[in-house]
Amino acid sequence: MKRHSHFVFLVLALTSTLVDTAQSTAPTATPVSGAARLPFNTSAPAANASLVTVVPPEALTPSSDLKNVTFSSIGFGGGTTASQFNASIPLQTTDNATVAPLETFNTSVASLLPKNATQVISKNDSSTLLIADPSWGKEIVVKASSLNSTQLVVSNATDLGSTTAFTTVYNTTTVVQNDDTKAYPWQHSVCTATFQEQSRWQVPDGGTYHASVQLIVRSTILEDTVVPWTLSLASAGGYTDAESTYGLVNVTVENGTVTGQVVGADQTLLAQAGNAPNFDLIIASSFIDFEPVNVTVNGNSCAIVVESNVTLEPLPNVTLSPAGGAGIESAAGLTTSNGQITDLDGNAVVFRGLNWFGFDDGNTGPDGLWAGSSSMTLDYANIMLRIKSLGFNAVRLPFSFKDLKRTMKPFGRSCSFVSGNSLAASTVPTGTSVAPGSSFPSLSEPPQSTQTLGVCSGYLDVGTTFNRLVYVVRLLTHNGFYVMLDNQFNLDTSVLDNQQQWLSDWTNLLRAVAKDPISRSRLMVDVLNEPDVFGVRWEAANGKPGYADLCIKLMDAAYSIVPNALFLVEGTAQSGLAYNWGDGLGSTSAALKQYGGISDAGIFFERVMSKPYLSQVVASPHVYPPSITRAHDKYTGSALFNRLSMSFGYLNKQGYCSRSNPNNCHRFPVLIGETGTNFQSQADQQQMADFALYLNNQGAGNDGQHNAIPSWFWWAWNANSGDTGGIVKDDWSTIDWNKVNYMISIGLQPWYKNKSAAPARSGSGCGDVPPDNKYTCAQQAGWGKCNDKFMTTNNYCQSTCGRCNPCSDTRPDDKYTCAQQVGFGKCNESWMISGGFCKKSCGRC
């Protein structure tokens, strides 16, 4: 993981005529020459410099005339040119001996400008010369009349009206201010340390203060400081604890000082501000003031620049639009009906979702916000927009309660910004034409907290990891997404450690989310991820609680808090029928007989049948191909279909019928909580192609045992998903179009395809008339009825079912369907494109 910082040198030209008429008989000493060590290019003067004269410091004596001094143009390699002034003002000691002058260089003028000024250069006239010392982080104005007495007037960088006179002598600076003279030791700093406090919070009940901070270090000397080197910082009150989240190792806190080692190969501190390594820390203090009074590199002090502007704010609020969330179809809530997910008005709701982990693995937030150098990958809002533009409308957030109690890692990073056109282009595959009428979407409500120019995702630094999760849910739901919260059991054993605490943690989280009406209306609760991982069965066994009992207890507690949220139940402990963790919801007598010894999901279904939240329960199995499951059979064709239907498919068609009253049956919707692959193996390609048929209930996948399963969540957005890879590739920017094309075959609708914008063609009979008044076209499509004969012959639901566009879906041969070709990753093969095969499935309409 690398981050790149960029220096910007602003080209300035200033011509000043400074005449020192004072005479001196002091002995002359040859000062160190800065000009001799810098690549001056006098043949390429700054365009607006009237005269370029480089005065060698050796030629300067206390009696010298300093005339026609100007900024000189200097080459910095790579063709880059910047103006830099290297004036050396001879200084005198108390015994009148001339000593080496303080070298001065101009840094980024942005760091010199006072907040209330537009330019520093206007401060100068023919009698003054502006120079800048990066080790001070301030502008220094040298008055011609001051050269005799070697007096420097230093203007504070935040207030040009406030000046302090410095009379410089050897090893001592006498500060003259309000006629009160005090002596301070003088040491030319070897570095600058910019301290940026990004957020601050206090432990409940008046405990210790914490802050997330970033420290940016630059060298001001002529040699590199190679790794390993030591960085330390201390505040006036002293720090009590610290945790490095980026850049430092072996961090310790002794006597109020934080010390860490810098060892990264890319963290050598290059000479003369050649780079700017940055370090992220979570620090604690008994005092509210975190600003350091001492920062050192290998024991040598740095000049400190503080850029903090935070308040003790527990959590930023998302400002609600007057409509209660622009672009949101329904803010009332979710429920189910007859095996389908609907809103409270009975309209079908279909989830095309993805998983985005990071709240479960120590990252303390959505993972990947450290990748790259631009806002394409570093800014959460931009990523959210890209996900939306690809057609996803739901995000599953795996989390760990242990992580929610961890110290939050700061996410604010320096970044370069990318244009909206670049974002849009990144979400269209190369060679694909954008459909007429398509428009790149926008966020309904982008982050409302203060954003800093040049900093990405700083608005996610909201004090605690718990608050960050609540805020991320809020950002997603206010921008049209549904959110599934998933307790990632394989990384969080809270439920086994202390079941009562686990229930309390869940209800506390749901109460925090439910404070926002839009968040609670678009919420799903995945009780426990893949219970199999630690041997949890439907029934209590082997000293572990029963999964059925855990589900019922949490739903009992949560229903009063989020009554219109969906409760998702995964499968467990049905090896043989289920080929991966998270599958295994079989309860029929046939399944229990054929796969003897499996745990009985009927234990849960029997209990939930009498619960008031029955209509809020959704089955959410996980389905993966052989590269993950290591399956050697039953992963394709009818064997796959029979196994899936026996495990969970039966629930949305036959339903579960009470064992005490067989006439009391209930259809449960099925939602695939996880599926995914990198499509590298032929076995994976074969299973995923057939799985698409099963989800769509088409062709051989229409086995008569289940209805279509239109809702699913792909694993994962994350490029660092080891077994599946991500929807984005290793750079966290490039989209894996093989995966997107597969998801298009199971219902994903990216913005550039603009299916909803395609107008019905007059005279063609194309419309969106449902077959009856009982069910809408969206419901018919969700049930996989689009290609049924009664629908096609009567031209029902043509627009919703995509029959208004004459684009063909011709398969290249009789061996494999277009859905299978998509699964095999063949869409972009030249023979597929030139032959016009599978245009609809491959998204080339």
Side-chain angles (χ1 to χ4, degrees), residues 206-249:
T208 304
Y209 293 97
H210 291 77
S212 63
V213 304
Q214 186 173 79
L215 200 65
I216 302 171
V217 180
R218 297 179 176 92
S219 172
T220 60
I221 59 177
L222 298 175
E223 295 83 23
D224 294 347
T225 303
V226 299
V227 292
W229 50 276
T230 302
L231 178 67
S232 67
L233 67 157
S235 66
Y239 302 125
T240 58
D241 195 12
E243 175 187 1
S244 172
T245 58
Y246 179 79
L248 293 177
V249 299

Side-chain angles (χ1 to χ4, degrees), residues 61-272:
T61 68
S63 61
S64 295
D65 290 345
L66 188 59
K67 300 178 180 179
N68 299 326
V69 179
T70 185
F71 286 100
S72 180
S73 182
I74 305 172
F76 277 88
T80 304
T81 300
S83 287
Q84 180 170 339
F85 180 70
N86 186 40
S88 294
I89 308 299
L91 306 178
Q92 291 181 334
T93 66
T94 52
D95 58 2
N96 290 324
T98 302
V99 297
L102 172 70
E103 297 175 19
T104 57
F105 307 97
N106 76 303
T107 59
S108 168
V109 171
S111 68
L112 302 177
L113 281 171
K115 294 180 179 178
N116 59 350
T118 57
Q119 56 180 353
V120 174
I121 205 69
S122 64
K123 184 71 178 175
N124 301 280
D125 52 38
S126 61
S127 65
T128 61
L129 172 67
L130 172 68
I131 57 180
D133 183 351
S135 71
W136 286 8
K138 302 176 180 179
E139 70 252 27
I140 304 173
V141 180
V142 181
K143 293 185 177 180
S145 60
S146 301
L147 291 179
N148 186 32
S149 61
T150 66
Q151 184 182 71
L152 305 182
V153 178
V154 182
S155 296
N156 186 295
T158 59
D159 183 5
L160 281 174
S162 173
T163 60
T164 302
F166 284 72
T167 301
T168 305
V169 295
Y170 194 62
N171 283 337
T172 304
T173 298
T174 302
V175 182
V176 182
Q177 186 173 20
N178 299 328
D179 299 324
D180 181 13
T181 302
K182 298 179 181 179
Y184 293 89
W186 165 253
Q187 179 181 3
H188 186 73
S189 300
V190 301
C191 50
T192 62
T194 301
F195 178 85
Q196 298 174 340
E197 186 176 345
Q198 297 166 331
S199 63
R200 186 190 311 150
W201 65 97
Q202 186 178 20
V203 174
D205 301 323
T208 304
Y209 293 97
H210 291 77
S212 63
V213 304
Q214 186 173 79
L215 200 65
I216 302 171
V217 180
R218 297 179 176 92
S219 172
T220 60
I221 59 177
L222 298 175
E223 295 83 23
D224 294 347
T225 303
V226 299
V227 292
W229 50 276
T230 302
L231 178 67
S232 67
L233 67 157
S235 66
Y239 302 125
T240 58
D241 195 12
E243 175 187 1
S244 172
T245 58
Y246 179 79
L248 293 177
V249 299
N250 302 325
V251 176
T252 61
V253 179
E254 293 183 6
N255 300 319
T257 299
V258 176
T259 302
Q261 300 299 310
V262 183
V263 298
D266 60 343
Q267 291 178 308
T268 284
L269 199 56
L270 301 182
Q272 292 186 311

Side-chain angles (χ1 to χ4, degrees), residues 583-597:
D583 190 8
L585 291 127
S587 66
T588 63
S589 57
L592 297 176
K593 181 178 179 180
Q594 182 174 343
Y595 297 95

Side-chain angles (χ1 to χ4, degrees), residues 710-793:
S711 293
W712 43 263
F713 286 73
W714 190 267
W715 186 278
W717 174 259
N718 303 60
N720 56 351
S721 175
D723 46 10
T724 65
I727 294 171
V728 285
K729 296 186 178 181
D730 288 346
D731 60 2
W732 290 82
S733 174
T734 306
I735 304 296
D736 188 327
W737 292 109
N738 280 338
K739 294 178 181 179
V740 172
N741 285 332
Y742 176 84
M743 286 182 271
I744 289 172
S745 77
I746 55 175
L748 191 68
Q749 189 71 30
W751 74 276
Y752 57 84
K753 293 179 66 66
N754 194 32
K755 177 179 176 180
S756 61
R761 293 170 291 126
S762 59
S764 67
C766 186
D768 215 22
V769 179
D772 53 46
N773 294 326
K774 187 175 182 180
Y775 300 113
T776 66
C777 284
Q779 288 173 307
Q780 296 288 354
W783 296 330
K785 301 298 183 182
C786 278
N787 295 322
D788 284 5
K789 186 175 181 180
F790 82 96
M791 291 281 283
T792 57
T793 56

